[in-house]
Structure formats: C-alpha cells, structure tokens
Amino acid sequence: MDKIKYTIAGCFLLLSLTAFSQTTELPPTELYRPQFHFTPREHWMNDPNGLIFYKGQYHIFYQYYPGGTVWGPMHWGHATSTDLFHWKEQPIALYPDSLGYIFSGSAVLDAANSTGLGKDGKPPLVAIFTYHNMDREKAKRNDFQYQGIAFSHDDGKTWIKYSGNPVLNNPGITDFRDPKLSWYAPGKKWIMTLATKDRITFYASPDLKNWHKLSEFGKVLGAHGGVWECPDLLPFEYKGKKIWALLVSINPGGPNGGSATQYFLGDFDGTNFIPTDTATRWIDYGTDNYAGVSFFNTGKRTIFLGWMSNWQYAQQVPTEKWRSAMTLPRNLSIQSAGGKLVLASTPVEEMKVIKGTTLNIPDNSWKKDLPATHLKNTSGSFQLDFTANAAEDFVILLSNDDAREVLIGYRAKTREYYIDRSNSGETSFEKGFGKKHLAPRLSTEKTIDLTLVVDKASVELFADKGCTVMTDIVFPKKPYTNLRIETTSPATIRQVKYTPLKPSMVSASLIPQ
Ligand code: FRU
C-alpha cells in the first residue's frame, strides 16, 4: 500500500456537491438506512421469499418478525414495485398458524390451474413455504419442518392457506426446508428444490399438492461448513447451450466467515442434477449476500435478490427501528472467466431509475501530484465505474469526517480483490465484523472492469462484468463523503465515471409517522 501514491483529483468536488444538494436528510435514528435498497419500515427481516413478477409488478415477500428487531415467529412480509427500486410495503401476507411459523419458500403463477385452486377462470398465484413447528421441536422430534402452500386470487394481495396442508411431510430430517419451485417444461411437471440438511433433494408434482421424491444431490460435493439452506435451480443459455445452475446457501462456512451462497453448474435432466465438475464456487465473496434466490416469471432474464446480512451478526447490527436490507437486484448470467464458466451477477438495468448525471473524469486529469481527492457528497450513495490495468494494485478509499474508512482494492500479486471494513465505522457489536475480506480474481483479461455501488451502509463490488462479486455492509456514523483512488502507477486507472444515486426508499411509508 505504501507504494500507492497517485490519486484521482479534486474535480469531483464541485460537481458532486451540486448533485447531492437535493438529497432528503433522514432523521438521526435513520442513521444507517439505505437509500435505495429495500428495508422494512420497522422490525426484523431476513430471507427474500416468493419473488415473482406478475401483471407489471415485482412482488417480494420476506422472512419477517413484526414483534421486534431480532428473529422471532416468522411471517411473510410483502412489498411491491414496478421497477425493482421504488418499493411499497404491503400488509403482511402470511401469518404463523397451528401448523407452525412460516419459513422461507417461493411463489409461482399456476398458469394452467394445475392445482385447481384458480377462481372464475383466473389462474392462482401459489406460494410454497416451510412450516416450522415449535411444539414438535421442543418435544425433540426430528420432523418439525414440512411444506405447505397458499394461494392468491387477487394477484398476490391476499393469501389463503390450502386446507390440505402440509403438502409434503417430513421423513425425519431435522433441516427440511426452503422449497423453491420451478416449472420443468420438457417433463410438464413442477420441480421442488429443497434443502435437506447437508444436501439438496428434488421432488416433482403435477399439481403442487402431491409430491414424489426424484433424487438427492451434494452430500459429498461443495462446501459443507454449515447447514444447506435456500436453494434455487436455474436454467441458462450460453452460446446456444443449456446450462443449469444450482444455488445453495450455507450457514456457516462462507469463504470469509458466516453465511454465504455457493453454486454448482451442470445439467438437470428432469430427475437428477449432474454437476460439470467438483469445484466449489461462490456467487458473492462478501459476507453480506445470503439466502438469495431468483424471481419467477421474468422471461429470459434471471433476476436475483439476496438478504444483505449474515447470521454471524445479523441480530446485533446497530440499527434501531429495523434490521436488515436486501441486496441490489442483480441480473444473473453465465460468463467465461479464465477459461471456465462462472455465474456472473451485475446490477439490473432498472438501476437507471435512481441514477443522477454521470460525471466522466478525463483519463489524464488526475495524473498530477494533486492533493488527495475529495468527493464530497452528503448522502453517501453513489456508483463508481472504471477500468484498471490488472498488473497493478489499486485501492478505493471511502472515508468520513470521523476518520472512518472502508478500503476496496485489488492486489495484482495475489490476484485478489478485497474489502477492508476494520475501521469502517461501528464494528464493536460483534468481534468478527471488523475484518478484511478477500475474493479471487477469476478473469484473466488484462483489464479489470469494475463497478462499485455504495448506499450509505453497504458496498457492492462487481468486478470483471460480475465474475467476482463482493457485498459488505458497514455502519459509518457519518456518510462516506470522501472518495479517493490510489494506484501503483498513474496509467492504471481509466474511464472513471462517478454517478450519484438518488434515494428511492425514502418514501412516505418509510418516514416515521
Ligand atoms: C435462512 C433461514 C432459512 C429459514 C429461514 C428462517 O436464512 O435459516 O433456512 O427458512 O431462514 O427464518
């Protein structure tokens, strides 16, 4: 780092001040409130559930405890948006009942009314979730998780639980949860991808009510540092070929500690998932992207959303009114990196709805021995893009007036990206929080292509067109108003673009009443 001495110059200063002069200041209790990532107005949230696009609306449901800011009896909270950024919180969709708490799951449009649960010729939306039965758990039984369904006749507004629940009983596996539905067209059947302790079990059904087991996957493959949770099975097209990805969240056992999401690439033949190799891959190397799954019904696009936290400290983070945010919605695709296929994530194109005017920094304007660059913005929410020579080191320093800083960088020698949040702000709530996180560079291109999205209390790094991704949350008491880039050589960094990002979540529903 001491070699790094060139800095991007102060021309950021003037323009960025203007760009941010309109930003709504949130009250002090809203200190760490993201500006455009989804957060519930109040109380506890974890996994995204039942993600679906229908009739022009994106619906997110989520693990929600309306009685406090720590995990408790699980409900499905609900929010809707037409653009994935402006979210409106809706009434709670599913409440616990005598069968149990409502754990994670998914939702589909039952277009052909295979369930027979449609009404007046209109197909139903069907949600599937895990019931977690506390009485059985307390009685030390091993069958306390099983699957139930609910359906909606009003486009997802309200939900009716199916009277024949549960639709899939537990065969005696303590962790038996998080069903993700997909329609397997060649076999004309529904597939349920279920996390079953240390592996994935696939089930099939003609009607979402009667299920039979197809196969198991993963007992001896991938990372096993913790329990397997929240899977997703996704088809992709790559150069005219079909490739399947299987996402599996694990907790703990992530590459930088705690919760994380691994994935496998391979083939799904309607019964078995056949992996192409035995490699362990991670969709995101940061510590704060967990339990992420895709939206149903988005055509050729695969849109992914994760929970931007980690079970290692999720219940201790220093927000008062609410706990947790979702990640940026991301577009998933198969890309080639270093001769291997990877599942890449990039921010969805809808992000344009929150973008202010991009400032292009001319390549040569900063190659002078100028004082440290100061990007002065008041909200701490912006996007930075640039290209860099992969043979040189660079570091982006975001700092605030409390001398707190987060470092996002690349080390050419080890071919590693990193985010160092050791001195990023409030870190004392959990001993493992204030650490430096590493991620391998998978691409072997000579030029790095980098996008960084900062939203007050989070940093999302998309390197090499999303082949390496890192998501980390941070808690600076004052926004990161200063931005500086340092490199080992003045020619390393090019095409720097700075884009202010506008708040989309500071809506009437979020301002304390
Ligand atoms: C993942 C998870 C799921 C479970 C839910 C409970 O974060 O543990 O496996 O369904 O959270 O809230």
Side-chain angles (χ1 to χ4, degrees), residues 44 46-47 49 63 71-72 74 102-105 130 145 177-178 228-230 251 290-291 307 311:
W44 169 267
N46 56 288
D47 315 356
N49 298 149
Q63 289 288 278
W71 191 90
M74 282 290 115
I102 314 294
F103 272 23
S104 287
T130 298
Q145 295 185 339
R177 57 178 180 265
D178 310 337
W228 284 25
E229 300 184 316
C230 299
N251 176 50
Y290 192 61
W307 173 46
W311 282 115

Side-chain angles (χ1 to χ4, degrees), residues 33 41-42 87-89 505-513:
R33 178 79 81 178
R41 191 165 65 86
E42 48 187 11
W87 292 100
K88 257 198 202 136
E89 224 172 299
M505 286 304 297
V506 189
S507 63
S509 70
L510 278 175
I511 293 167
Q513 308 295 313

